[in-house]
Amino acid sequence: MDPDAGLPRPLTQLVGREAELRAATRLLAGRILTLVGAAGSGKTRLALAVAGAAPGPVRFADLTTMEGAAAAPGFLLDAFGVTRRADLDDTDTLLAELGDEQLLLVLDNCEHVAEPVAVLCERLLAARPLVRLLVTSRQALGVEGETVLAVQPLDDGTALRLFETRTFERTGRPLPAAHRPAAAAICAALDGLPLAIELAAARAALLSVPEVHRLLADRFRVLADAKATGPEHHRTLRAALDWSYHLLSADKQALLRQLAVFQGGWDAGAVAALPAHRPGLTAALAERSLLHDGGTRGRMLQTVAAYAAARLAEAPDEEAAARDAHAGHYLGLAERAAEGIRGPDQRAWLRILTLEQDNLRAAMAWLSGRPGAERTDDLRLATAMGPFQHFVGGYQAGRQWLADALVRRPAAPAPVRAAAASAAATLAMLSCDYPAAANLAHQALTGASGLARGPLLTLLGSVERERARYTRSASVLNEAIQLYREAGDAWGEGRATQLAGATAWLSGDLDGAAVLLVAALAAFRDLADAESVASSLTHLGAVAHFRGDQPGARHRLVEALDRFTELSFPEGIGWAQDLLARVDLAEDRVPAALERLRAALSIHRRVGDRWRTASVLEALAEARRRGGDPTHAVALLGAADAIRAEIGAPTPACELPARRACEAALQAALPEPTYARAHRFGARTPLDDLLPLSSATSPVPASL
């Protein structure tokens, strides 16, 4: 992992914090360091500098939007894009995501959720000895072993240096000597808080410094009224923001308020959808340091965004209009992506949707709260996001969006509900919930006609395939192929043909599979669909492997793995690694096979693919048998059998000979009672306790 992966990139250099940076770096040698200070004191900026200089990998989470009642582990899972797991609670899922290696975890803006964050930090420190925590907050967490570093306001000289630096960056001119007293007075009035000083410096690029000083002084006298409540530093920061806001014309104020609806930034097209948008306004706000306009993407500092959101909340009708416009824009984006993700623009759409996940979640949150059983927007958004959830492994999140929307909108038009049911069925199948997938697909089929039946037939064919009902699977998929062919839908015909090829090789019909898969590969190369090309290569690699052509299998699977990796497609990466491990086993490269199987298993479990998890466990059993640990091998077979019984999917026909040979060898190596006890142990033991595969010590008790 990149050492600073996930760290926001600061827009400017850090000024005047050299001593604090050295102190924080030294204190970070402990397990947990909390940077404590007033709002706007520069805690986040200092934390980023400390984390950026720290050795090893870094994960960053901004807790600004975490609500007090929210569970901290679940919030972090969402922030990191981690799928919830049915077999673990949120805390254990987070621990699994963080791993056992050295890691610096930065938790930013924790003051409003100090208690739940403190509980989580104690658990992380106890369970992950190599994890260090860097926290920013307006108060200490009170965690045992916590080191607190107070981030004080800048002293007068340093504050003035910051003001001069930022003014020079804006104007390209040094501060006139005659204006230094006024600049010093501004810094003193702003209590040396870096955020407020930066805003003042931005104004000084447009007005003279003495004029800025006079305006600032007036505002502070009003907002520092003795009747005002709250700590002085809160009132001072509000004063700085109020002052900046009131310098704006009415049209700029409106746009600033409405920009608060965005999460994680925006592009020009998204801003143009807002009611207050006018050409040139975002550039004007950027010039006043109220937002950053990077050319292709803009964003606001979080404090400014919070201020804008509070202002927007004062005008409920305006807020509703802005959020409707925001949600409408991202609904349109998602629906265009759902179409474009199948062809030559696949990579571009995946990048866009990945970048816009926070905005898409915000759109769904808003649309889901709009009244009306007949509304369709949330159903359409959940449906459109189905293909993306497949790509990123977000099966459970996607299913939840769809299930909730279907409940909320019982009176939505039948075609909209059918499309949603179809998307939900696909994600249910990927989650190995075959009864739910089949029920949803049949439900959708009742209201589907023409080409709308195609995806449902291919889905039902896939469900039957994974249940090892190969004849029924082939029949349904052939019906889909014919439907697409008659309609002239080349992509649909290619996908149904590819899936029919999968059914063929899993059933043991390798020759029939090869014919179908070569045709599918050619179709998808013509259509420039990168994922479908990679999937076809993976199927062909499997055919070559089961035919005994290991060099040919490796060639196709390595190409497929490279393509899946380029797309960041977890399901494909795990699947290709799984099959390459079988090639390694066929060539007696057991250590290499173990490495690949470990990688595949981690991905399959993360996305919730229990069908492939069971298959990998069976391959791992053979690897462990060859490694001289028959009891561990039997336990792994027991774990695989438990999963297969749970999901109703037996070992695929093409894998049965290897499975039976492994079982026979293990039965010959172990007494029958020992074999039976090891199998029962594997079936009832959590997988995490069965999988220290590189350890010299077997996880299976010797007493077995």
Side-chain angles (χ1 to χ4, degrees), residues 31 73 222 299-300 311 441 451 467 495 623:
R31 295 292 310 285
V222 172
R299 62 183 176 87
M300 284 194 289
R311 286 284 182 179
L451 269 180
R467 286 170 154 175
R495 178 49 58 94

Side-chain angles (χ1 to χ4, degrees), residues 29-55:
R31 295 292 310 285
I32 176 170
L33 172 63
T34 301
L35 304 181
V36 173
S41 61
K43 302 182 296 295
T44 297
R45 184 65 183 82
L46 178 58
L48 292 175
V50 173

Side-chain angles (χ1 to χ4, degrees), residues 328-342:
H329 172 79
Y330 285 103
L331 170 59
L333 179 79
E335 290 186 327
R336 293 193 302 275
E339 290 298 319
I341 210 168
R342 303 195 317 178

Side-chain angles (χ1 to χ4, degrees), residues 337-408:
E339 290 298 319
I341 210 168
R342 303 195 317 178
D345 296 329
Q346 187 174 78
R347 292 181 180 87
W349 280 115
L350 287 171
R351 285 194 296 270
I352 290 169
L353 293 181
T354 298
L355 185 64
E356 299 292 3
Q357 285 186 82
D358 288 343
N359 278 314
L360 289 159
R361 280 192 287 265
M364 177 56 79
W366 174 254
L367 293 174
S368 65
R370 303 295 267 167
E374 74 290 347
R375 292 184 69 96
T376 64
D377 289 353
D378 53 344
L379 265 176
R380 289 166 54 201
L381 179 56
T383 301
M385 288 298 290
F388 178 72
Q389 300 286 18
H390 179 191
F391 266 98
V392 300
Y395 308 157
Q396 298 306 319
R399 290 184 71 186
Q400 194 64 56
W401 275 20
L402 286 156
D404 291 347
L406 283 165
V407 169
R408 280 193 300 269

Side-chain angles (χ1 to χ4, degrees), residues 674-701:
T674 302
Y675 184 101
R677 286 194 296 270
H679 191 278
R680 287 195 299 272
F681 177 82
R684 65 172 183 259
T685 301
L687 272 184
D688 284 337
D689 295 336
L690 279 178
L691 298 175
L693 298 174
S694 60
S695 171
T697 302
S698 173
V700 182

Side-chain angles (χ1 to χ4, degrees), residues 621 630-631 633-635 637-638 641 659-660 662-682 704:
T631 53
V634 173
L637 289 179
D641 289 343
R659 163 74 193 241
R660 288 168 178 162
C662 180
E663 286 177 334
L666 291 170
Q667 288 165 351
L670 294 172
E672 191 280 330
T674 302
Y675 184 101
R677 286 194 296 270
H679 191 278
R680 287 195 299 272
F681 177 82
L704 290 179

Side-chain angles (χ1 to χ4, degrees), residues 554 577-599 616 618-630 632-633 636 662 693-695:
R554 187 179 298 278
Q577 290 281 37
D578 174 355
L579 287 167
L580 278 166
R582 296 170 192 276
V583 173
D584 287 332
L585 282 175
E587 295 177 342
D588 205 26
R589 301 179 183 184
V590 177
L594 278 171
E595 285 299 315
R596 290 191 186 279
L597 289 169
R598 272 197 292 268
V616 171
E618 290 168 343
L620 278 170
E622 174 60 15
R624 294 302 284 166
R625 182 193 71 79
R626 296 191 199 181
D629 192 346
H632 189 192
L636 291 168
C662 180
L693 298 174
S694 60
S695 171

Side-chain angles (χ1 to χ4, degrees), residues 548-571:
D549 177 12
Q550 306 313 326
R554 187 179 298 278
H555 175 75
R556 291 175 176 83
L557 293 170
V558 167
E559 181 182 351
L561 179 59
D562 289 344
R563 289 173 176 269
F564 284 137
T565 302
E566 184 180 354
L567 291 168
S568 299
F569 184 29
E571 175 192 311

